[in-house]
Amino acid sequence: MHADVHLRIHQLHATELHREAAATARSRTAPHPSAATFRVQLGWKLVETGLRLVTAADRPVTLTA
């Protein structure tokens, strides 16, 4: 994997993590998701990662769920 591609993927992931952390900090009173919910979220994250790996850099990945 090229260094610039690896850096871009890392930046996208870091941005997503920051966004999720901010959302979690705002909703501390929300209940924890169940194991089934976690598996679904993990599955979609794996699909998204796979799509990012096979999609050309000039075409953005858009997922609607």
Side-chain angles (χ1 to χ4, degrees), residues 11-49:
Q11 289 171 338
L12 289 171
H13 186 65
T15 302
E16 290 174 2
L17 287 176
H18 284 290
R19 192 176 304 126
E20 289 176 11
T24 302
R26 285 191 301 265
S27 65
R28 287 273 181 197
T29 59
H32 293 290
S34 67
T37 303
F38 179 73
R39 280 195 305 270
V40 169
Q41 290 175 348
L42 178 63
W44 279 112
K45 189 59 79 172
L46 289 171
V47 168
E48 181 181 359
T49 303

